[in-house]
Amino acid sequence: MVEANVMIQPVFELGPLVITNTVVTTWVLMGVLWLFAWLISGRLRLEPGPLQTTVEGIVVTIESAVAGVAPRHARQIMPFIGSLWVFLVIANLSGLIPGVHAPTRDLSATAALAILVFLSTHWFGIRILGLKNYLRHYLAPSPILLPFHLVSEITRTFALAVRLFGNMMSLEMAALLILLVAGFLAPVPILMLHIVEALVQAYIFGMLALIYVAGGIQSQQLRQ
């Protein structure tokens, strides 16, 4: 019974394309976030209410974190890292909703996020430094290290995907086992630990993404 509840299940098919519950949940979460952002952006006031104050506090906190790692390029990196952090928090916590599984407990979803970070690292590096200057850092301090740089790019992307998947899958399994044994009378502290761990995993993934992006930009600039 536990195994059946944590398995990735197809919802419907579009020809050869199989749409799983992970895809549906992901798109629903993205739609909710987009709708919320659209509604809050249309109701901004000079004297903010509680909701606007909360949102502004979140934005300022993320902006400070980005500026602490990449102060010269915080404005350029902030939209990507901020969106990634917000999505991960919502996605990780969505597993607490009855009948909903966190998309990040699916390796395909975490792999897609890791690949997005991989591509974004090169995108920001090439956009800010230029193609020639960005590619030059793969040959520093010696061209002999080129294979090691390439292997590092692949392994850290793989580790990024597997780390989030493994932790979120274990959280889902633990929460499901607790609910099966104790029902909805499960101890609140245990559920609180689930929330804390979900937030921690979102923070770690986002921070690693920020470090990778900032590292690709600043490593070359430090040598210039």
Side-chain angles (χ1 to χ4, degrees):
M1 181 176 181
V2 173
E3 182 180 359
N5 284 333
V6 298
M7 288 179 59
I8 311 302
Q9 300 176 352
V11 178
F12 59 91
E13 299 182 4
L14 294 175
L17 185 63
V18 178
I19 306 300
T20 64
N21 52 355
T22 298
V23 176
V24 173
T25 304
T26 301
W27 279 95
V28 169
L29 293 178
M30 290 192 298
V32 170
L33 289 173
W34 177 87
L35 181 61
F36 176 79
W38 180 72
L39 291 175
I40 195 67
S41 62
R43 291 171 170 79
L44 298 178
R45 300 292 184 268
L46 292 177
E47 297 183 2
L51 180 59
Q52 183 177 334
T53 301
T54 302
V55 173
E56 289 180 353
I58 294 173
V59 172
V60 170
T61 301
I62 296 176
E63 187 176 18
S64 298
V66 175
V69 178
R72 299 176 57 183
H73 306 288
R75 187 178 297 273
Q76 294 162 293
I77 300 175
M78 164 68 183
F80 170 68
I81 297 298
S83 300
L84 182 64
W85 251 326
V86 171
F87 173 78
L88 284 171
V89 168
I90 302 301
N92 288 354
L93 293 178
S94 65
L96 295 174
I97 302 175
V100 177
H101 290 292
T104 46
R105 69 57 162 110
D106 187 343
L107 183 58
S108 62
T110 59
L113 291 171
I115 292 173
L116 182 62
V117 172
F118 170 82
L119 296 176
S120 298
T121 300
H122 301 302
W123 162 254
F124 285 112
I126 294 173
R127 183 180 179 183
I128 294 174
L129 300 175
L131 179 60
K132 183 178 179 180
N133 288 331
Y134 178 71
L135 293 180
R136 189 182 301 166
H137 85 275
Y138 285 103
L139 303 177
S142 170
I144 299 177
L145 296 179
L146 175 61
F148 297 96
H149 285 303
L150 297 178
V151 171
S152 174
E153 294 280 350
I154 297 173
T155 54
R156 75 182 188 184
T157 301
F158 178 78
L160 197 62
V162 173
R163 180 187 295 108
L164 181 59
F165 158 72
N167 283 286
M168 292 309 302
M169 174 60 79
S170 63
L171 278 178
E172 289 257 324
M173 291 285 293
L176 185 58
L177 287 172
I178 291 171
L179 290 176
L180 287 175
V181 173
F184 290 100
L185 298 177
V188 174
I190 296 180
L191 296 180
M192 289 299 297
L193 286 176
H194 183 106
I195 295 175
V196 171
E197 181 65 17
L199 295 176
V200 168
Q201 292 306 318
Y203 174 80
I204 292 175
F205 191 100
M207 183 56 70
L208 288 175
L210 173 58
I211 292 173
Y212 294 159
V213 172
I217 298 171
Q218 296 177 346
S219 60
Q220 177 64 25
Q221 290 181 334
L222 291 174
R223 288 189 289 269
Q224 292 178 346

